[in-house]
Amino acid sequence: MTAEKAQFLAQANAMANQLGGSIYHPEAVAFQDKIYDEWKAAAVAPEETNAWLAKRLWNQFVSLAEPPLWIDHEPQWPFVQGRPLIFLFQCSFPKD
């Protein structure tokens, strides 16, 4: 992986975290490659990357109701076949 791609993916994950998601998941490699390739093809200026990412990622981490409350405060959004899953709901269990 190039330094440029590593930096882009770190920026993309930071933006995903702001949106309640994450792109760091074993099944997210195809998604990472796709958004990186789109960014390169669009020839986005470095100072415009965050705005581009916000626009590109805003609807990728969908919750049907309330977004998840992550146990470790670090989103671990699951992906299947390179696509983020839809979060349905969260439940809690008694601490007996």
Side-chain angles (χ1 to χ4, degrees), residues 5 25 27 46 69 76 83 90:
K5 185 173 183 179
H25 185 277
E27 290 277 336
L69 298 173
Q76 298 291 318
R83 297 183 65 197
Q90 191 163 6

Side-chain angles (χ1 to χ4, degrees), residues 26-91:
E27 290 277 336
V29 174
F31 183 81
Q32 294 170 5
D33 291 343
K34 180 179 178 182
I35 63 171
Y36 177 72
D37 291 345
E38 289 173 5
W39 175 76
K40 289 288 284 184
V44 177
E47 64 273 6
E48 297 297 322
T49 298
N50 274 338
W52 185 88
L53 284 166
K55 193 176 210 180
R56 175 61 178 83
L57 297 176
W58 78 270
N59 66 347
Q60 295 300 305
F61 305 102
V62 177
S63 299
L64 289 185
E66 295 296 317
L69 298 173
W70 302 102
I71 293 172
D72 59 4
H73 305 290
E74 177 70 26
Q76 298 291 318
W77 203 279
F79 283 68
V80 171
Q81 298 178 345
R83 297 183 65 197
L85 295 177
I86 296 172
F87 181 77
L88 300 177
F89 65 92
Q90 191 163 6
C91 61

